[in-house]
Amino acid sequence: MLYQHHGINTGFSGNYAEYFGMATNVDAVVYLMLANKLIHDLVKDGVSVAEDVSGMPTLCRKVEEGGVGFDYRLAMGVPDKWIQIIKHVPFEEWSMGELVSTLCNRRYSEKTIGYSESHDQSIVGDQTIAFRLMGAEMYEGMSALDEPSPVIERGIALHKMIRTITMAIGGESWLNFMGNEFGHPEWIDFPREGNDWSYD
């Protein structure tokens, strides 16, 4: 919505010319400014959150300051970074410098909502972080009647660590999706025609 090209085949490096130029959809930006101004004028405690991966400057600055007026932006690169690391890097080789850089990569004075897992993993059919860390062992190695297996112990420890570090330095607020705070093993499917409106 923010750009005429909709971000298709476009990368953002942080150069201001990428954000403010002929590619910017001025009508959309003005609409968002008006919407945020209306929200904050009508609802005293209203909060608006921007879902923008480009890193557009001033998105979370007040309209009166020349900003777009959102209160927070989602740290959309963080869940993707966790999945990329979990899928491709052995856990003993995780770079804390790279993680801290990703978690702290946000614009000064623009509040960000950190999260380690998105709906892409926990709702629409990909694997949750817990399932990526523990796999099918979750079905056999997590009984309250037996000691947890080494896979489960490591997976639970990493699961807690991922959330702790993301919550600590990933933003000024925290977002969680249904079930993944407990390591929900599989993706969530809402009642719909394709599953015969099942709540299971």
Side-chain angles (χ1 to χ4, degrees):
M1 176 173 192
L2 295 172
Y3 307 100
Q4 302 290 352
H5 51 62
H6 305 291
I8 298 169
N9 297 321
T10 305
F12 295 92
S13 66
N15 183 323
Y16 285 99
E18 297 167 348
Y19 306 104
F20 304 113
M22 296 307 293
T24 303
N25 185 342
V26 177
D27 291 338
V29 173
V30 170
Y31 168 80
L32 292 171
M33 291 171 76
L34 291 170
N36 279 305
K37 179 80 171 113
L38 186 65
I39 289 168
H40 294 101
D41 284 351
L42 294 179
V43 183
K44 181 179 177 272
D45 297 323
V47 175
S48 61
V49 179
E51 184 175 359
D52 166 56
V53 75
S54 76
M56 177 177 255
T58 74
L59 201 60
C60 296
R61 301 300 298 169
K62 293 179 181 179
V63 172
E64 294 79 12
E65 298 174 354
V68 182
F70 286 97
D71 297 293
Y72 292 89
R73 69 174 356 137
L74 294 176
M76 296 181 70
V78 172
D80 294 337
K81 175 54 84 174
W82 280 121
I83 292 301
Q84 180 254 325
I85 289 172
I86 292 168
K87 283 173 74 172
H88 303 293
V89 181
F91 77 95
E92 57 276 347
E93 295 178 20
W94 289 5
S95 165
M96 287 307 295
E98 184 179 346
L99 287 172
V100 169
S101 176
T102 299
L103 291 166
C104 294
N105 184 13
R106 56 186 179 271
R107 295 193 179 281
Y108 175 73
S109 77
E110 292 194 42
K111 295 186 285 188
T112 301
I113 297 175
Y115 58 115
S116 52
E117 189 161 24
S118 76
H119 60 280
D120 290 337
Q121 291 93 34
S122 60
I123 294 178
V124 294
D126 197 354
Q127 291 181 334
T128 63
I129 287 177
F131 201 84
R132 286 194 182 280
L133 293 172
M134 296 175 272
E137 185 72 15
M138 293 178 74
Y139 302 116
E140 303 290 329
M142 292 185 77
S143 171
L145 304 175
D146 295 316
E147 291 296 314
S149 70
V151 170
I152 297 300
E153 284 186 335
R154 180 185 70 98
I156 293 293
L158 288 171
H159 197 266
K160 289 178 182 178
M161 184 271 310
I162 288 167
R163 276 157 177 68
T164 300
I165 190 171
T166 304
M167 195 178 299
I169 63 173
E172 290 72 29
S173 189
W174 169 256
L175 176 66
N176 192 62
F177 287 92
M178 291 185 300
N180 66 28
E181 71 275 25
F182 304 112
H184 194 284
E186 297 184 19
W187 57 284
I188 299 169
D189 195 8
F190 290 106
R192 58 185 174 81
E193 187 177 347
N195 66 14
D196 200 26
W197 305 104
S198 171
Y199 286 88
D200 294 337

